[in-house]
Amino acid sequence: MKEHQTLSTRTGKLWVVATPIGNLEDLGARAGRVLAEADLIAAEDTRHSGRLLAHLGLHKPLISLHEHNEEARVPRLVERMLDGQALALISDAGTPLLSDPGFRLVRATREAGLLVFPVPGPSAVLAALSVAGLPSDRFCFEGFLPASPGARRQRLAELLKMPATVVCFESSHRIASSATDLAALAPEREAFLAREMTKQFEEHFFGPAGMLPDWLAADPNRLRGEFVLLIAPYRESPGEAAEGGLNPDEERVLATLLAELPLKQAVRLTSQLTGVARNRVYARALTLAG
């Protein structure tokens, strides 16, 4: 009989609610109503979400749900929904599950035969895409880049081969390093950086990735806040396709390493960083080395 119950007659359910990424005026009327009607709200940080509820004039029970306790808390939350309660899931900002907790809860809710509904709204990913001026017909959401320098550079090199706009999140602690790595790997590639979107000190950068580190360094305040970084899609040049050579970004990496390292070591590192087959890199290195 569960399969034949309608949305209006089934009580126990999960609402996945998008909340503002900065400006509280971005909270939709439906989101506010769902939060008001929920029996319980699962929030990434109850103190942060408590301020949102206070802004709405709501006094609702809150329970924390984050990466460190989600697995342990999901069974009890599912039990409450099976008992007929309506649960709302929110993150600190934006749409839950995008680099935020919630996957285990949504999965377990569906596996229990309960209903899960989205309440669409603010999303840092879509907000940045909408104003970046980069192709948005195809995009790849990467989430946060790796924290360690070596892993980050290798991942960026892989992402630079994507034939779609790449969207990354970055923290204030690592944005300068990530910008420097991107500038070194692909200085001519177009990039867009959104800082503090929808907030009082929102700023955007748009231009060649090679100029991004200087833009950040020009004002110490630009290293503060939350960041969304977009990288233009990879476009294969006609010469590269015909000759099986390196694109300008890959060749620049190779030339830089050749200036500092023996040929074989430069070839190996270039292949690791860019993902290009070593024999292709080696052939081009022989030409550059002369």
Side-chain angles (χ1 to χ4, degrees):
M1 292 297 293
K2 289 182 179 180
E3 291 80 5
H4 302 290
Q5 289 180 304
T6 66
L7 304 189
S8 59
T9 59
R10 188 69 175 275
T11 303
K13 60 177 70 73
L14 174 64
W15 298 97
V16 181
V17 184
T19 56
I21 59 177
N23 193 320
L24 295 180
E25 293 179 359
D26 290 339
L27 186 76
R30 181 171 175 239
R33 177 178 59 78
V34 167
L35 293 177
E37 294 176 356
D39 296 298
L40 177 67
I41 298 173
E44 186 177 2
D45 185 331
T46 55
R47 293 167 299 179
H48 180 91
S49 297
R51 293 191 287 272
L52 173 64
L53 297 183
H55 171 77
L56 297 172
L58 299 177
H59 301 279
K60 306 294 294 187
L62 281 165
I63 185 171
S64 65
L65 190 76
H66 47 72
E67 60 178 334
H68 302 297
N69 70 7
E70 184 177 4
E71 186 172 3
R73 291 204 162 163
V74 161
R76 177 57 187 143
L77 293 175
V78 171
E79 285 181 14
R80 295 182 70 155
M81 287 185 283
L82 287 170
D83 288 340
Q85 293 190 15
L87 174 66
L89 170 67
I90 61 177
S91 64
D92 285 349
T95 302
L97 277 73
L98 299 184
S99 289
D100 284 324
F103 166 76
R104 290 185 180 89
L105 176 60
V106 171
R107 177 91 177 188
T109 303
R110 289 209 172 277
E111 289 176 344
L114 293 160
L115 298 168
V116 184
F117 300 113
V119 183
S123 164
V125 174
L126 298 182
L129 272 169
S130 71
V131 297
L134 295 175
S136 57
D137 54 331
R138 294 181 65 194
F139 68 91
C140 166
F141 175 57
E142 175 67 11
F144 285 92
L145 293 167
S148 66
R152 182 175 59 245
R153 286 191 289 270
Q154 183 168 349
R155 185 57 185 153
L156 277 171
E158 295 167 352
L159 294 172
L160 286 166
K161 300 290 289 184
M162 289 287 296
T165 296
V166 174
V167 184
C168 305
F169 289 160
E170 195 50 280
S171 70
S172 58
H173 305 293
R174 297 196 298 267
I175 185 59
S177 297
S178 293
T180 299
D181 290 341
L182 178 60
L185 289 168
E188 303 303 322
R189 187 76 64 91
E190 283 189 330
F192 173 83
L193 182 69
R195 169 182 172 267
E196 293 288 84
M197 279 193 299
T198 79
K199 302 176 185 178
Q200 181 179 358
F201 299 108
E202 179 173 2
E203 284 187 283
H204 300 165
F205 166 88
F206 176 74
M211 298 176 62
L212 180 54
D214 287 342
W215 183 83
L216 287 168
D219 183 348
N221 290 315
R222 288 177 176 167
L223 297 177
R224 299 176 180 175
E226 298 175 323
F227 301 86
V228 184
L229 173 65
L230 277 68
I231 306 169
Y234 167 73
R235 296 284 186 257
E236 186 178 62
S237 67
E240 177 191 352
E243 301 172 11
L246 307 184
N247 67 39
D249 294 333
E250 295 160 352
E251 185 154 323
R252 192 173 290 106
V253 172
L254 175 58
T256 300
L257 293 174
L258 281 173
E260 302 293 333
L261 300 170
L263 186 142
K264 288 186 177 180
Q265 188 175 0
V267 168
R268 178 176 58 80
L269 290 175
T270 300
S271 179
Q272 290 177 355
L273 287 170
T274 64
V276 178
R278 191 174 298 188
N279 61 337
R280 282 176 55 194
V281 178
Y282 185 73
R284 183 57 181 154
L286 290 176
T287 302
L288 292 177

